[in-house]
Amino acid sequence: MAYSVPHLKDFSPAALDRAVGELLSALDQESGQVGDAAQRKAFRDRWLARKDGILTQINELWLKAAPREAKRDVGQRVNKLKAEVEAKVEAALAAPVREAAAALDISLPGLRRSIGAEHPIVRTMNEILAVFRNLGYSVAEGPVIEADYYNFEALNFPPEHPARDTQDTLFIANQASKPPRERLLLRTHTSPVQIRTMEKMRPPLRIVIPGKVHRRDAPDASHSPMFHQVEGLAVDTNITFGDLKGTLDHAMKALFGSDVKTSFRPSFFPFTEPSAEMFVSCFICGGSGKRGADICRPCKQTGWIEILGCGIVDPNVFEFVKHNGYDPEKISGFAFGMGVDRMAMLRYGVDDLQLFFQGDVRFLEQFG
Ligand code: PHE
């Protein structure tokens, strides 16, 4: 309840003491609550306004109302009280703005906002890209939802070719009304971006292509229906398998340390000929297949870890982009595609692929 000046009936010194005490404590309390400029003006008017301010009311309700025998005493007290009220009001108005003081309490602990970090897969991907950037490669990207033509046909997987079966493709529904090459699917590798880039840029070409890919695999400790690849493509005159081996051997030493060895074993991809799988000597066990008395799990005791697929670009692939300067009689190239997720598992000693995709902060913050 806001203070209001009482009508005095009892003018004894004790009653006056009480009335004065109540008034001053109301004033003290209100002085502590003045904030912005509007509140200050209202506060000042309430106490000091000539017309109907509290001091004016005291004159009316206490001094003028006092019986003659008490007038002298009441007059003295009211004068003293007026001086006191004026001084207190002025002091409260001179105090620094309380609102600002309350908003900035420098003794409170600060608000800590945790800083995010690169996801370990993104970090691994960026490290791979950096190695190739240093060799003069540029970065290219393409869509995750891809047309059959780019994912398969222009990469020399003819319609109905059995090599398509190896790709465990996730198809987009309701595409049957489209011509087969326009039907959409989730790309199963980053290789379609080879074609997309060659359509846009004439040779010579050196590109790396990071991205997400999808295959119909049930998630477990080493499989995921979504994973990541970094693709590479170099096209020029006189590119040989020696260039491929030298480039990838350098890249693996840059990524895993200068001690690692590389090994190329024959393989098959429709878009490269010859094709190979490249292995690196296991950098966990140093190639021995053993860890102390135990077997080395990451390389399954073989001493070698499969890292990527690669090969010399099949001339049939260049036929699809011949119009843009890719004449298989004049140019040649090599290509490779590596799985980023497994490289990240090996680099960080993570034994369950799913940990990368569950978004658990307790896992992810270990990479900050
Ligand atoms: N695209 C192939 C895969 O995902 C890898 C690869 C890329 C092989 C380039 C050769 C050349 O399995």
Side-chain angles (χ1 to χ4, degrees):
M1 265 294 279
Y3 175 79
S4 65
V5 181
H7 291 262
L8 282 190
K9 304 221 167 51
D10 181 354
F11 290 88
S12 69
L16 282 171
D17 279 347
R18 203 174 333 109
V20 167
E22 274 166 14
L23 181 141
L24 287 176
S25 81
L27 174 56
D28 281 346
Q29 210 214 330
E30 290 184 28
S31 313
Q33 286 163 1
V34 289
D36 61 21
Q39 284 175 4
R40 282 160 183 259
K41 182 176 181 319
F43 170 71
R44 190 187 174 286
D45 288 347
R46 171 165 155 78
W47 289 89
L48 305 183
R50 234 168 259 279
K51 187 169 174 289
D52 222 30
I54 285 176
L55 287 190
T56 306
Q57 291 177 42
I58 286 170
N59 251 358
E60 298 297 319
L61 302 180
W62 294 3
L63 187 57
K64 290 200 181 146
R68 207 172 338 112
E69 53 303 349
K71 271 241 159 47
R72 205 178 124 93
D73 192 22
V74 174
Q76 275 174 4
R77 277 171 173 269
V78 166
N79 279 343
K80 195 166 152 253
L81 182 61
K82 276 183 177 174
E84 209 172 331
V85 168
E86 272 163 10
K88 277 180 185 270
V89 170
E90 294 309 333
L93 293 177
V97 178
R98 281 181 54 84
E99 238 183 14
L104 181 70
D105 182 346
I106 59 168
S107 67
L108 282 173
L111 290 177
R112 193 181 293 266
R113 192 175 293 231
S114 46
I115 297 172
E118 239 175 6
H119 190 282
I121 298 233
V122 173
R123 189 192 289 185
T124 304
M125 203 134 80
N126 283 335
E127 285 167 358
I128 297 167
L129 297 181
V131 168
F132 287 95
R133 274 213 175 94
N134 287 339
L135 295 174
Y137 284 63
S138 335
V139 175
E141 287 184 291
V144 174
I145 299 176
E146 186 54 280
D148 182 288
Y149 176 76
Y150 289 106
N151 196 79
F152 290 125
E153 197 177 329
L155 288 167
N156 199 30
F157 291 80
E160 315 299 334
H161 193 282
R164 290 183 174 221
D165 291 353
T166 65
Q167 297 273 320
D168 298 314
T169 311
L170 291 161
F171 294 93
I172 306 283
N174 304 323
Q175 302 286 301
S177 61
K178 292 186 182 168
R181 56 164 58 171
E182 287 174 29
R183 292 180 192 166
L184 298 176
L185 45 83
L186 296 180
R187 68 176 178 197
T188 58
H189 49 180
T190 40
S191 304
V193 190
Q194 290 189 29
I195 307 296
R196 288 184 172 276
T197 310
M198 288 192 284
E199 285 180 345
K200 281 192 288 227
M201 296 166 73
R202 300 175 66 83
L205 192 69
R206 279 168 184 70
I207 49 164
V208 269
I209 304 152
K212 281 191 203 313
V213 302
H214 294 77
R215 292 196 196 177
R216 211 185 114 266
D217 265 328
D220 66 25
S222 55
H223 294 86
S224 164
M226 183 284 299
F227 56 102
H228 301 80
Q229 291 187 335
V230 171
E231 185 94 5
L233 174 67
V235 182
D236 208 332
T237 49
N238 296 320
I239 296 253
T240 68
F241 206 92
D243 297 316
L244 167 60
K245 288 181 80 173
T247 302
L248 291 178
D249 189 70
H250 164 82
M252 294 306 121
K253 290 185 160 68
L255 287 167
F256 297 114
S258 52
D259 290 343
V260 303
K261 295 188 186 64
T262 50
S263 161
F264 292 79
R265 307 183 188 178
S267 183
F268 173 78
F269 301 102
F271 39 97
T272 47
E273 181 63 31
S275 305
E277 266 149 20
M278 193 196 71
F279 290 70
V280 298
S281 56
C282 181
F283 41 82
I284 314 268
C285 65
S288 69
K290 294 196 194 70
R291 288 174 93 180
D294 225 351
I295 63 160
C296 180
R297 250 170 249 288
C299 68
K300 302 193 192 87
Q301 298 188 71
T302 64
W304 294 95
I305 292 178
E306 189 191 331
I307 292 286
L308 54 78
C310 59
I312 293 295
V313 179
D314 193 306
N316 288 349
V317 171
F318 287 137
E319 291 292 340
F320 288 91
V321 285
K322 201 171 178 175
H323 58 276
N324 201 26
Y326 293 88
D327 181 348
E329 300 293 329
K330 297 191 179 126
I331 46 116
S332 56
F334 67 73
F336 58 86
M338 57 183 113
V340 176
D341 312 68
R342 210 156 55 96
M343 281 181 47
M345 288 173 78
L346 293 168
R347 277 174 83 75
Y348 296 114
V350 172
D351 59 6
D352 183 353
L353 177 59
Q354 297 307 316
L355 288 168
F356 286 136
F357 307 130
Q358 286 161 348
D360 188 327
V361 173
R362 291 166 301 182
F363 172 73
L364 294 173
E365 70 188 359
Q366 298 176 48
F367 300 90

